[in-house]
Amino acid sequence: MGTTKKIGIITSGGDSPGMNSAIKSIVNYSNMNNINCLGFKYGYDGLINNNYLELSNNKVKNIIGFGGTILGSGRSIDFLTKKGRKQAYKNYLYNKLDGLIIIGGNGTFHGVNKLNKEFNIPIIGIPGTIDNDIYGTDLTLGYDTALNTIITTVDKIKDTANSNNRIFIVEVMGKKTGYLALNSGIALDSLYIIFNRKYNLNKLVSLLKKERVLSNIIIVAENTKIGNASKKLYKFLKNSITNYEIRRTILGHIQRGGSPTCIDRILGIRLGLEAIKKIINYDNNFVIGIKNNKIIHITFEESVKKKKIDINSLYIYNNFYNK
Ligand code: F6P
């Protein structure tokens, strides 16, 4: 083992606020230790096509306050193939890299897991996704910012919902896990939070048939498994409720952007620093997360195989209305 001279950084999958913060801390610490950083562009495709930026302190100055990722991100189709991963490995060797730090979500770590098994490269993963669905870590980069975006946006919807005495169904992102739906729904004092296919709509309908309810927001997780959950709910309620007008809003990609919150910035710095220190110390091949405010490590295998919580057991959260 020689000294670490050059590393690669990749941001992959859906971008998330806080990724820039992690990049910044990795680059600053590397610079202090005379390590060069190559930032590969647009996810794994950057490594496959050898498309990179040389990252100096100057390049990462002031990026901490920006959402997205200065490297660009992507869900690489080529990386799903052995041929693509082989090409990525070739470029890893060609650039004489001593390790990779990869920031992304579940899909990204599936890719790392494969790359690791095939080519045994020193890799550290940093969980970056607004979905907060990575096993073992309490938080992922971008989740707190996305939650806050949902809260401030839906608060505005509430103003108009209240004024017109309407019910609003609001669909939020979060893939199959529903974390964003669960916690934004609680913080918004929403009438119902709906995650999965088992929800019992009769209770909701009887509640809405009463003259007045305390809240008029229903948060629905996008939950790709049900497919169009908020649309189905909208149709159902429109046909069963006559005493309220009903509207449906899909918040969409607004949830992925914006300046990272303080929590996401600091999390990015902490995870980034730990990642580069581990690479330097030849301690690698795991995801770095945070549990009870302490840094922890999760194997790639575990992070892709285990589920964070069984959200299906929490299919409807209804705080003050369930009798
Ligand atoms: O994983 C982050 C996420 O924003 C999910 O919440 C959402 O389902 C998905 O990405 C959207 O992906 P895309 O930007 O490729 O449409």
Side-chain angles (χ1 to χ4, degrees):
M1 275 181 229
T3 31
T4 308
K5 292 197 184 93
K6 206 195 264 182
I7 62 147
I9 308 175
I10 294 173
T11 48
S12 156
D15 54 286
S16 67
M19 283 183 163
N20 283 332
S21 177
I23 295 170
K24 180 206 133 63
S25 65
I26 297 165
V27 172
N28 289 162
Y29 193 82
S30 295
N31 191 270
M32 272 169 53
N33 290 281
N34 301 316
I35 298 168
N36 289 328
C37 291
L38 304 188
F40 289 92
K41 301 274 289 167
Y42 305 113
Y44 290 126
D45 281 347
L47 190 56
I48 293 172
N49 303 321
N50 209 24
N51 179 12
Y52 63 81
L53 279 178
E54 299 219 20
L55 294 169
S56 59
N57 277 348
N58 219 18
K59 283 250 163 59
V60 297
K61 201 170 152 189
N62 294 328
I63 66 171
I64 199 165
F66 297 127
T69 155
I70 57 157
L71 298 179
S73 194
R75 306 186 205 277
S76 171
I77 305 283
D78 292 343
F79 200 76
L80 296 175
T81 65
K82 191 152 189 191
K83 190 172 160 223
R85 291 192 295 276
K86 204 168 174 187
Q87 184 57 34
Y89 181 57
K90 265 192 188 165
N91 285 328
Y92 176 87
L93 294 178
Y94 176 78
N95 288 305
K96 299 194 168 56
L97 295 175
D98 300 306
L100 288 175
I101 298 177
I102 303 184
I103 311 171
N106 261 325
T108 300
F109 295 151
H110 268 285
V112 175
N113 206 24
K114 284 197 175 138
L115 190 70
N116 239 337
K117 282 186 181 148
E118 289 161 359
F119 303 108
N120 196 26
I121 298 175
I123 304 179
I124 294 285
I126 295 181
T129 164
I130 62 165
D131 302 333
N132 200 25
D133 58 352
I134 308 272
Y135 173 81
T137 184
D138 288 343
L139 289 175
T140 56
L141 291 176
Y143 172 62
D144 185 64
T145 306
L147 265 185
N148 280 288
T149 302
I150 296 172
I151 304 297
T152 47
T153 312
V154 179
D155 275 346
K156 288 175 188 166
I157 294 176
K158 270 186 164 181
D159 290 344
T160 171
N162 285 330
S163 304
N164 292 286
N165 205 21
R166 286 173 170 163
I167 296 285
F168 268 79
I169 294 167
V170 181
E171 180 182 307
V172 299
M173 281 185 169
K175 286 223 172 105
K176 293 170 196 162
T177 55
Y179 262 102
L180 284 170
L182 175 64
N183 285 315
S184 65
I186 294 169
L188 284 160
D189 189 20
S190 73
L191 176 58
Y192 261 60
I193 303 162
I194 296 174
F195 302 106
N196 79 353
R197 72 182 91 202
K198 286 188 228 149
Y199 51 76
N200 174 359
L201 295 177
N202 294 331
K203 267 191 181 175
L204 179 56
V205 169
S206 62
L207 191 65
L208 292 173
K209 279 187 173 161
K210 287 185 190 160
E211 217 176 286
R212 185 125 199 110
V213 286
L214 290 173
S215 172
N216 35 18
I217 300 291
I218 299 167
I219 297 285
V220 182
E222 63 174 353
N223 199 335
T224 48
K225 244 187 182 174
I226 306 177
N228 282 326
S230 68
K231 196 173 174 184
K232 285 176 190 160
L233 179 66
Y234 174 74
K235 272 194 177 162
F236 182 85
L237 291 185
K238 263 216 138 189
N239 291 332
S240 3
I241 307 288
T242 47
N243 54 335
Y244 283 107
E245 270 193 67
I246 306 198
R247 293 287 185 273
R248 170 176 169 248
T249 299
I250 300 171
L251 289 194
H253 286 78
I254 192 174
Q255 296 162 92
R256 281 240 296 265
S259 176
T261 58
C262 185
I263 286 183
D264 276 328
R265 294 181 196 200
I266 291 173
L267 186 63
I269 297 273
R270 286 181 76 185
L271 299 181
L273 269 182
E274 177 76 2
I276 182 63
K277 284 182 181 171
K278 289 292 165 197
I279 291 274
I280 291 173
N281 289 325
Y282 307 105
D283 186 9
N284 48 55
N285 288 333
F286 45 79
V287 178
I288 289 175
I290 191 141
K291 189 120 212 133
N292 300 326
N293 207 22
K294 296 227 158 51
I295 300 270
I296 47 125
H297 303 157
I298 314 130
T299 64
F300 285 115
E301 193 88 17
E302 252 190 323
S303 89
V304 296
K305 286 203 172 139
K306 291 194 179 167
K307 286 217 168 15
K308 205 162 175 178
I309 58 164
D310 182 10
I311 208 101
N312 285 334
S313 62
L314 302 168
Y315 68 96
I316 292 181
Y317 169 86
N318 175 215
N319 201 5
F320 298 109
Y321 307 99
N322 265 332
K323 296 234 166 74

